[in-house]
Amino acid sequence: MKETGHTSAAILAVGDEIVLGQKADTNSAWIAARLLESGVPVREHAAVADDLSQHEEALRRLCARHALVVCTGGLGPTPDDLTRAALARVLGDDLVEDEAALRAIAALMARRGAALADNQRAQALRPRSARTIENHNGTAPGIAAGVLIDGNACDVFCLPGPPREMRPMFERAVLPALRPPPGRTVLTRTLHCLAIGEGDLARRLGPMMDRDRMPLVGTTASGGVVSIRIRYEGARDGAEQAVRAARDEAAARAGPFLFGEEEDTIQSVVLRLLRERSHRLVVAESCTGGGLGALFTETPGASVVFPGGWITYEDGMKSAALAVPPALLERHGAVSEPVARAMAAGALRACPPAPAAPPGAQRHALAVTGVAGPGGGTDAAPVGTVFIALDSAPEGPGPAPPAEVRRFRITGDRADIRSRAARLALAMLRWRLIGAAVPAALWQIPHEG
Ligand code: ATP
Ligand code: MG
């Protein structure tokens, strides 16, 4: 039996600026995510320049292959806006003026106190068999049509390029028209890992990543975080269980490197752990230059657990603010285990007492010192060498857990090294907070890509 509904979808981005790479195609990514959530499988993305015959050809090809095509851009009033004309050619239609669309455009121009220019008026044109979709956030209406090519029926939605017009129109007019294949579903889960490279994580996941498996398991890396993406496409029956089982197995295989899921970030996870325990965090930063504090305070509510920190870039500042002994700096250099340890200890001491700490509460200090490059590397400490120290103390009387210092070798450019160092520092604190041992093999954090 032939499957019914929108069994396959394609997304077409229109515009020279997209094809030339001058503008990132965020529309397609956003639309793909919405289609996936709705259970419509996305099979193809395409981008086409502002050229009538190329546009027509791309539309024709996608409509012949897919049950749904969503196109963005090229609906405006300028001569490079060619979506209406391209769709008319594919449909074999002439262009007619849509009365309701013209009224809406005229009303909008009147509200703006502007005359209705001919090119504005042209936005009310649609292929004869198509219908327009009202634009509540701009002048250009969208267009919806049914295309039949070589026996393949395809629903086409053409939406404006600006995201603030496209997104509400998609939600209002496209979402309700989606017909996910009956009895089938698409489910996704995302798990996030730190302090492990994509290759090592793939080895841990092993056969889970075989391409003939369902759910499909893949990895992506961004900003030092490697994410495991689980995607199930198939019969609705048993889908939830299959995804849950894959999630549990992936989590077990990722082990201590897994820190969160879906919207979690390392900073939001560490903030949650600190709040739950009434613990606090201070930071002492050299090579990250405040990046660790900035990262941690990205999450609202950080002030509850984060008194602040020190940016001690210069040796003299490390001594003055954190009481790092000058002799230690002299003997070992600023990028060294003893200096990282002394910075964390100094930050712990300099942190004012907690106003009302419950019994068992602790304060933690993370210190980062390293060589972010591009210059400044030595044989002993090449570019990318970063020492991260974690020291902790009870807010009240009691024994202090031992300080811990790790040496990392982070690859990537200056920005990569700095941002990854900040995330690794929070990963170290997370391991301490959940009582997990720091994984042994943490020397080389490879660059993704
Ligand atoms: P307008 O009425 O503004 O001309 P339009 O429907 O003709 O809209 P385009 O002219 O193709 O759309 O693009 C307008 C603007 O929308 C672009 O400058 C760009 O900023 C944004 N835009 C277009 N396509 C995309 C896309 N795929 N992803 C993100 N932004 C986009
Ligand atoms: Mg335009």
PDB file of all heavy atoms in Angstrom, residues 221-252:
ATOM      1  N   ALA A 221      29.366  18.142  16.934  1.00  0.00           N
ATOM      2  CA  ALA A 221      30.212  18.856  17.896  1.00  0.00           C
ATOM      3  C   ALA A 221      30.111  20.339  17.655  1.00  0.00           C
ATOM      4  O   ALA A 221      30.060  20.802  16.520  1.00  0.00           O
ATOM      5  CB  ALA A 221      31.655  18.403  17.756  1.00  0.00           C
ATOM      6  N   SER A 222      30.061  21.088  18.744  1.00  0.00           N
ATOM      7  CA  SER A 222      30.007  22.541  18.636  1.00  0.00           C
ATOM      8  C   SER A 222      30.506  23.152  19.932  1.00  0.00           C
ATOM      9  O   SER A 222      30.003  22.829  21.007  1.00  0.00           O
ATOM     10  CB  SER A 222      28.572  22.966  18.331  1.00  0.00           C
ATOM     11  OG  SER A 222      28.435  24.347  18.498  1.00  0.00           O
ATOM     12  N   GLY A 223      31.487  24.017  19.829  1.00  0.00           N
ATOM     13  CA  GLY A 223      31.992  24.723  21.010  1.00  0.00           C
ATOM     14  C   GLY A 223      32.523  23.795  22.085  1.00  0.00           C
ATOM     15  O   GLY A 223      32.451  24.114  23.270  1.00  0.00           O
ATOM     16  N   GLY A 224      33.074  22.649  21.685  1.00  0.00           N
ATOM     17  CA  GLY A 224      33.646  21.734  22.669  1.00  0.00           C
ATOM     18  C   GLY A 224      32.631  20.747  23.216  1.00  0.00           C
ATOM     19  O   GLY A 224      33.000  19.782  23.886  1.00  0.00           O
ATOM     20  N   VAL A 225      31.354  20.982  22.962  1.00  0.00           N
ATOM     21  CA  VAL A 225      30.319  20.050  23.415  1.00  0.00           C
ATOM     22  C   VAL A 225      30.036  19.067  22.280  1.00  0.00           C
ATOM     23  O   VAL A 225      29.812  19.477  21.136  1.00  0.00           O
ATOM     24  CB  VAL A 225      29.020  20.802  23.784  1.00  0.00           C
ATOM     25  CG1 VAL A 225      27.903  19.826  24.130  1.00  0.00           C
ATOM     26  CG2 VAL A 225      29.283  21.765  24.938  1.00  0.00           C
ATOM     27  N   VAL A 226      30.095  17.793  22.578  1.00  0.00           N
ATOM     28  CA  VAL A 226      29.752  16.794  21.570  1.00  0.00           C
ATOM     29  C   VAL A 226      28.374  16.232  21.933  1.00  0.00           C
ATOM     30  O   VAL A 226      28.154  15.772  23.056  1.00  0.00           O
ATOM     31  CB  VAL A 226      30.786  15.655  21.505  1.00  0.00           C
ATOM     32  CG1 VAL A 226      30.436  14.694  20.378  1.00  0.00           C
ATOM     33  CG2 VAL A 226      32.186  16.220  21.272  1.00  0.00           C
ATOM     34  N   SER A 227      27.451  16.325  20.994  1.00  0.00           N
ATOM     35  CA  SER A 227      26.078  15.903  21.280  1.00  0.00           C
ATOM     36  C   SER A 227      25.756  14.599  20.560  1.00  0.00           C
ATOM     37  O   SER A 227      26.171  14.386  19.425  1.00  0.00           O
ATOM     38  CB  SER A 227      25.090  16.981  20.832  1.00  0.00           C
ATOM     39  OG  SER A 227      25.375  18.181  21.522  1.00  0.00           O
ATOM     40  N   ILE A 228      25.040  13.748  21.251  1.00  0.00           N
ATOM     41  CA  ILE A 228      24.555  12.494  20.668  1.00  0.00           C
ATOM     42  C   ILE A 228      23.118  12.747  20.224  1.00  0.00           C
ATOM     43  O   ILE A 228      22.279  13.130  21.039  1.00  0.00           O
ATOM     44  CB  ILE A 228      24.569  11.356  21.709  1.00  0.00           C
ATOM     45  CG1 ILE A 228      25.962  11.185  22.313  1.00  0.00           C
ATOM     46  CG2 ILE A 228      24.065  10.052  21.085  1.00  0.00           C
ATOM     47  CD1 ILE A 228      25.991  10.244  23.529  1.00  0.00           C
ATOM     48  N   ARG A 229      22.870  12.563  18.942  1.00  0.00           N
ATOM     49  CA  ARG A 229      21.514  12.793  18.434  1.00  0.00           C
ATOM     50  C   ARG A 229      20.854  11.463  18.092  1.00  0.00           C
ATOM     51  O   ARG A 229      21.356  10.712  17.258  1.00  0.00           O
ATOM     52  CB  ARG A 229      21.540  13.705  17.207  1.00  0.00           C
ATOM     53  CG  ARG A 229      22.085  15.065  17.537  1.00  0.00           C
ATOM     54  CD  ARG A 229      21.892  16.075  16.442  1.00  0.00           C
ATOM     55  NE  ARG A 229      22.535  17.323  16.841  1.00  0.00           N
ATOM     56  CZ  ARG A 229      21.976  18.222  17.653  1.00  0.00           C
ATOM     57  NH1 ARG A 229      20.745  18.037  18.105  1.00  0.00           N
ATOM     58  NH2 ARG A 229      22.632  19.314  17.990  1.00  0.00           N
ATOM     59  N   ILE A 230      19.747  11.217  18.739  1.00  0.00           N
ATOM     60  CA  ILE A 230      18.996   9.979  18.520  1.00  0.00           C
ATOM     61  C   ILE A 230      17.747  10.346  17.738  1.00  0.00           C
ATOM     62  O   ILE A 230      17.035  11.284  18.113  1.00  0.00           O
ATOM     63  CB  ILE A 230      18.600   9.346  19.875  1.00  0.00           C
ATOM     64  CG1 ILE A 230      19.862   9.003  20.681  1.00  0.00           C
ATOM     65  CG2 ILE A 230      17.718   8.113  19.664  1.00  0.00           C
ATOM     66  CD1 ILE A 230      19.570   8.630  22.126  1.00  0.00           C
ATOM     67  N   ARG A 231      17.495   9.654  16.642  1.00  0.00           N
ATOM     68  CA  ARG A 231      16.289   9.962  15.853  1.00  0.00           C
ATOM     69  C   ARG A 231      15.587   8.674  15.468  1.00  0.00           C
ATOM     70  O   ARG A 231      16.187   7.761  14.924  1.00  0.00           O
ATOM     71  CB  ARG A 231      16.661  10.744  14.600  1.00  0.00           C
ATOM     72  CG  ARG A 231      15.437  11.224  13.848  1.00  0.00           C
ATOM     73  CD  ARG A 231      15.797  12.128  12.693  1.00  0.00           C
ATOM     74  NE  ARG A 231      15.889  11.410  11.443  1.00  0.00           N
ATOM     75  CZ  ARG A 231      16.998  11.220  10.756  1.00  0.00           C
ATOM     76  NH1 ARG A 231      18.142  11.692  11.198  1.00  0.00           N
ATOM     77  NH2 ARG A 231      16.999  10.547   9.627  1.00  0.00           N
ATOM     78  N   TYR A 232      14.320   8.628  15.797  1.00  0.00           N
ATOM     79  CA  TYR A 232      13.491   7.476  15.423  1.00  0.00           C
ATOM     80  C   TYR A 232      12.498   7.918  14.364  1.00  0.00           C
ATOM     81  O   TYR A 232      11.811   8.926  14.521  1.00  0.00           O
ATOM     82  CB  TYR A 232      12.737   6.953  16.657  1.00  0.00           C
ATOM     83  CG  TYR A 232      11.742   5.868  16.339  1.00  0.00           C
ATOM     84  CD1 TYR A 232      12.082   4.531  16.466  1.00  0.00           C
ATOM     85  CD2 TYR A 232      10.463   6.186  15.888  1.00  0.00           C
ATOM     86  CE1 TYR A 232      11.177   3.534  16.152  1.00  0.00           C
ATOM     87  CE2 TYR A 232       9.548   5.194  15.573  1.00  0.00           C
ATOM     88  CZ  TYR A 232       9.909   3.867  15.707  1.00  0.00           C
ATOM     89  OH  TYR A 232       9.010   2.886  15.396  1.00  0.00           O
ATOM     90  N   GLU A 233      12.428   7.172  13.283  1.00  0.00           N
ATOM     91  CA  GLU A 233      11.388   7.396  12.276  1.00  0.00           C
ATOM     92  C   GLU A 233      10.769   6.054  11.979  1.00  0.00           C
ATOM     93  O   GLU A 233      11.480   5.126  11.584  1.00  0.00           O
ATOM     94  CB  GLU A 233      11.990   7.927  10.965  1.00  0.00           C
ATOM     95  CG  GLU A 233      12.330   9.382  10.985  1.00  0.00           C
ATOM     96  CD  GLU A 233      12.787   9.867   9.605  1.00  0.00           C
ATOM     97  OE1 GLU A 233      12.366   9.280   8.592  1.00  0.00           O
ATOM     98  OE2 GLU A 233      13.561  10.829   9.567  1.00  0.00           O
ATOM     99  N   GLY A 234       9.464   5.932  12.174  1.00  0.00           N
ATOM    100  CA  GLY A 234       8.846   4.653  11.854  1.00  0.00           C
ATOM    101  C   GLY A 234       7.482   4.528  12.498  1.00  0.00           C
ATOM    102  O   GLY A 234       6.834   5.533  12.818  1.00  0.00           O
ATOM    103  N   ALA A 235       7.077   3.288  12.706  1.00  0.00           N
ATOM    104  CA  ALA A 235       5.748   3.027  13.257  1.00  0.00           C
ATOM    105  C   ALA A 235       5.610   3.696  14.620  1.00  0.00           C
ATOM    106  O   ALA A 235       6.553   3.727  15.410  1.00  0.00           O
ATOM    107  CB  ALA A 235       5.529   1.526  13.379  1.00  0.00           C
ATOM    108  N   ARG A 236       4.425   4.245  14.856  1.00  0.00           N
ATOM    109  CA  ARG A 236       4.172   4.922  16.128  1.00  0.00           C
ATOM    110  C   ARG A 236       4.237   3.930  17.292  1.00  0.00           C
ATOM    111  O   ARG A 236       4.754   4.255  18.363  1.00  0.00           O
ATOM    112  CB  ARG A 236       2.783   5.581  16.057  1.00  0.00           C
ATOM    113  CG  ARG A 236       2.466   6.554  17.137  1.00  0.00           C
ATOM    114  CD  ARG A 236       1.103   7.190  16.887  1.00  0.00           C
ATOM    115  NE  ARG A 236       1.096   8.033  15.689  1.00  0.00           N
ATOM    116  CZ  ARG A 236       1.505   9.302  15.686  1.00  0.00           C
ATOM    117  NH1 ARG A 236       1.938   9.866  16.781  1.00  0.00           N
ATOM    118  NH2 ARG A 236       1.473  10.003  14.576  1.00  0.00           N
ATOM    119  N   ASP A 237       3.734   2.697  17.028  1.00  0.00           N
ATOM    120  CA  ASP A 237       3.735   1.689  18.087  1.00  0.00           C
ATOM    121  C   ASP A 237       5.169   1.342  18.481  1.00  0.00           C
ATOM    122  O   ASP A 237       5.977   0.992  17.637  1.00  0.00           O
ATOM    123  CB  ASP A 237       3.031   0.401  17.612  1.00  0.00           C
ATOM    124  CG  ASP A 237       1.540   0.636  17.431  1.00  0.00           C
ATOM    125  OD1 ASP A 237       1.034   1.623  18.012  1.00  0.00           O
ATOM    126  OD2 ASP A 237       0.901  -0.146  16.697  1.00  0.00           O
ATOM    127  N   GLY A 238       5.434   1.451  19.765  1.00  0.00           N
ATOM    128  CA  GLY A 238       6.760   1.062  20.249  1.00  0.00           C
ATOM    129  C   GLY A 238       7.821   2.136  20.086  1.00  0.00           C
ATOM    130  O   GLY A 238       8.975   1.936  20.481  1.00  0.00           O
ATOM    131  N   ALA A 239       7.438   3.286  19.508  1.00  0.00           N
ATOM    132  CA  ALA A 239       8.442   4.314  19.235  1.00  0.00           C
ATOM    133  C   ALA A 239       9.063   4.858  20.525  1.00  0.00           C
ATOM    134  O   ALA A 239      10.281   4.961  20.654  1.00  0.00           O
ATOM    135  CB  ALA A 239       7.815   5.445  18.425  1.00  0.00           C
ATOM    136  N   GLU A 240       8.178   5.186  21.483  1.00  0.00           N
ATOM    137  CA  GLU A 240       8.667   5.766  22.745  1.00  0.00           C
ATOM    138  C   GLU A 240       9.652   4.839  23.443  1.00  0.00           C
ATOM    139  O   GLU A 240      10.708   5.262  23.913  1.00  0.00           O
ATOM    140  CB  GLU A 240       7.487   6.032  23.706  1.00  0.00           C
ATOM    141  CG  GLU A 240       6.410   6.947  23.146  1.00  0.00           C
ATOM    142  CD  GLU A 240       6.670   8.406  23.510  1.00  0.00           C
ATOM    143  OE1 GLU A 240       7.634   8.661  24.245  1.00  0.00           O
ATOM    144  OE2 GLU A 240       5.897   9.265  23.021  1.00  0.00           O
ATOM    145  N   GLN A 241       9.276   3.548  23.504  1.00  0.00           N
ATOM    146  CA  GLN A 241      10.147   2.579  24.179  1.00  0.00           C
ATOM    147  C   GLN A 241      11.481   2.470  23.462  1.00  0.00           C
ATOM    148  O   GLN A 241      12.540   2.404  24.111  1.00  0.00           O
ATOM    149  CB  GLN A 241       9.504   1.185  24.233  1.00  0.00           C
ATOM    150  CG  GLN A 241       8.214   1.094  25.032  1.00  0.00           C
ATOM    151  CD  GLN A 241       6.989   1.367  24.161  1.00  0.00           C
ATOM    152  OE1 GLN A 241       6.886   2.408  23.514  1.00  0.00           O
ATOM    153  NE2 GLN A 241       6.056   0.429  24.145  1.00  0.00           N
ATOM    154  N   ALA A 242      11.429   2.456  22.119  1.00  0.00           N
ATOM    155  CA  ALA A 242      12.678   2.304  21.360  1.00  0.00           C
ATOM    156  C   ALA A 242      13.610   3.487  21.620  1.00  0.00           C
ATOM    157  O   ALA A 242      14.815   3.315  21.790  1.00  0.00           O
ATOM    158  CB  ALA A 242      12.365   2.195  19.861  1.00  0.00           C
ATOM    159  N   VAL A 243      13.030   4.680  21.685  1.00  0.00           N
ATOM    160  CA  VAL A 243      13.865   5.868  21.905  1.00  0.00           C
ATOM    161  C   VAL A 243      14.395   5.884  23.337  1.00  0.00           C
ATOM    162  O   VAL A 243      15.559   6.212  23.579  1.00  0.00           O
ATOM    163  CB  VAL A 243      13.067   7.154  21.590  1.00  0.00           C
ATOM    164  CG1 VAL A 243      13.829   8.394  22.028  1.00  0.00           C
ATOM    165  CG2 VAL A 243      12.788   7.220  20.098  1.00  0.00           C
ATOM    166  N   ARG A 244      13.554   5.496  24.287  1.00  0.00           N
ATOM    167  CA  ARG A 244      13.999   5.477  25.683  1.00  0.00           C
ATOM    168  C   ARG A 244      15.146   4.476  25.861  1.00  0.00           C
ATOM    169  O   ARG A 244      16.147   4.767  26.512  1.00  0.00           O
ATOM    170  CB  ARG A 244      12.830   5.135  26.618  1.00  0.00           C
ATOM    171  CG  ARG A 244      13.081   5.574  28.045  1.00  0.00           C
ATOM    172  CD  ARG A 244      11.853   5.381  28.936  1.00  0.00           C
ATOM    173  NE  ARG A 244      10.613   5.792  28.309  1.00  0.00           N
ATOM    174  CZ  ARG A 244       9.558   5.002  28.133  1.00  0.00           C
ATOM    175  NH1 ARG A 244       9.592   3.740  28.542  1.00  0.00           N
ATOM    176  NH2 ARG A 244       8.463   5.465  27.557  1.00  0.00           N
ATOM    177  N   ALA A 245      14.992   3.314  25.230  1.00  0.00           N
ATOM    178  CA  ALA A 245      16.043   2.299  25.353  1.00  0.00           C
ATOM    179  C   ALA A 245      17.348   2.802  24.729  1.00  0.00           C
ATOM    180  O   ALA A 245      18.429   2.621  25.303  1.00  0.00           O
ATOM    181  CB  ALA A 245      15.602   1.004  24.671  1.00  0.00           C
ATOM    182  N   ALA A 246      17.249   3.459  23.577  1.00  0.00           N
ATOM    183  CA  ALA A 246      18.458   3.987  22.919  1.00  0.00           C
ATOM    184  C   ALA A 246      19.081   5.083  23.769  1.00  0.00           C
ATOM    185  O   ALA A 246      20.297   5.169  23.919  1.00  0.00           O
ATOM    186  CB  ALA A 246      18.119   4.523  21.530  1.00  0.00           C
ATOM    187  N   ARG A 247      18.247   5.925  24.347  1.00  0.00           N
ATOM    188  CA  ARG A 247      18.741   6.991  25.215  1.00  0.00           C
ATOM    189  C   ARG A 247      19.501   6.408  26.412  1.00  0.00           C
ATOM    190  O   ARG A 247      20.596   6.855  26.768  1.00  0.00           O
ATOM    191  CB  ARG A 247      17.564   7.856  25.681  1.00  0.00           C
ATOM    192  CG  ARG A 247      17.936   9.016  26.556  1.00  0.00           C
ATOM    193  CD  ARG A 247      17.474   8.767  28.002  1.00  0.00           C
ATOM    194  NE  ARG A 247      18.191   9.642  28.918  1.00  0.00           N
ATOM    195  CZ  ARG A 247      18.976   9.192  29.892  1.00  0.00           C
ATOM    196  NH1 ARG A 247      19.169   7.906  30.086  1.00  0.00           N
ATOM    197  NH2 ARG A 247      19.601  10.026  30.677  1.00  0.00           N
ATOM    198  N   ASP A 248      18.908   5.379  27.039  1.00  0.00           N
ATOM    199  CA  ASP A 248      19.542   4.793  28.221  1.00  0.00           C
ATOM    200  C   ASP A 248      20.864   4.128  27.857  1.00  0.00           C
ATOM    201  O   ASP A 248      21.844   4.238  28.589  1.00  0.00           O
ATOM    202  CB  ASP A 248      18.595   3.783  28.891  1.00  0.00           C
ATOM    203  CG  ASP A 248      17.386   4.477  29.510  1.00  0.00           C
ATOM    204  OD1 ASP A 248      17.420   5.725  29.637  1.00  0.00           O
ATOM    205  OD2 ASP A 248      16.397   3.792  29.847  1.00  0.00           O
ATOM    206  N   GLU A 249      20.864   3.444  26.713  1.00  0.00           N
ATOM    207  CA  GLU A 249      22.105   2.776  26.319  1.00  0.00           C
ATOM    208  C   GLU A 249      23.189   3.802  25.970  1.00  0.00           C
ATOM    209  O   GLU A 249      24.350   3.664  26.380  1.00  0.00           O
ATOM    210  CB  GLU A 249      21.865   1.838  25.119  1.00  0.00           C
ATOM    211  CG  GLU A 249      23.123   1.045  24.787  1.00  0.00           C
ATOM    212  CD  GLU A 249      22.978   0.104  23.594  1.00  0.00           C
ATOM    213  OE1 GLU A 249      21.835  -0.133  23.142  1.00  0.00           O
ATOM    214  OE2 GLU A 249      24.021  -0.388  23.133  1.00  0.00           O
ATOM    215  N   ALA A 250      22.796   4.859  25.260  1.00  0.00           N
ATOM    216  CA  ALA A 250      23.782   5.897  24.898  1.00  0.00           C
ATOM    217  C   ALA A 250      24.317   6.567  26.159  1.00  0.00           C
ATOM    218  O   ALA A 250      25.516   6.842  26.267  1.00  0.00           O
ATOM    219  CB  ALA A 250      23.145   6.928  23.968  1.00  0.00           C
ATOM    220  N   ALA A 251      23.431   6.822  27.122  1.00  0.00           N
ATOM    221  CA  ALA A 251      23.868   7.467  28.360  1.00  0.00           C
ATOM    222  C   ALA A 251      24.863   6.580  29.099  1.00  0.00           C
ATOM    223  O   ALA A 251      25.881   7.055  29.600  1.00  0.00           O
ATOM    224  CB  ALA A 251      22.658   7.777  29.240  1.00  0.00           C
ATOM    225  N   ALA A 252      24.581   5.277  29.136  1.00  0.00           N
ATOM    226  CA  ALA A 252      25.486   4.356  29.821  1.00  0.00           C
ATOM    227  C   ALA A 252      26.835   4.320  29.110  1.00  0.00           C
ATOM    228  O   ALA A 252      27.887   4.317  29.747  1.00  0.00           O
ATOM    229  CB  ALA A 252      24.877   2.960  29.875  1.00  0.00           C
TER     230      ALA A 252
END
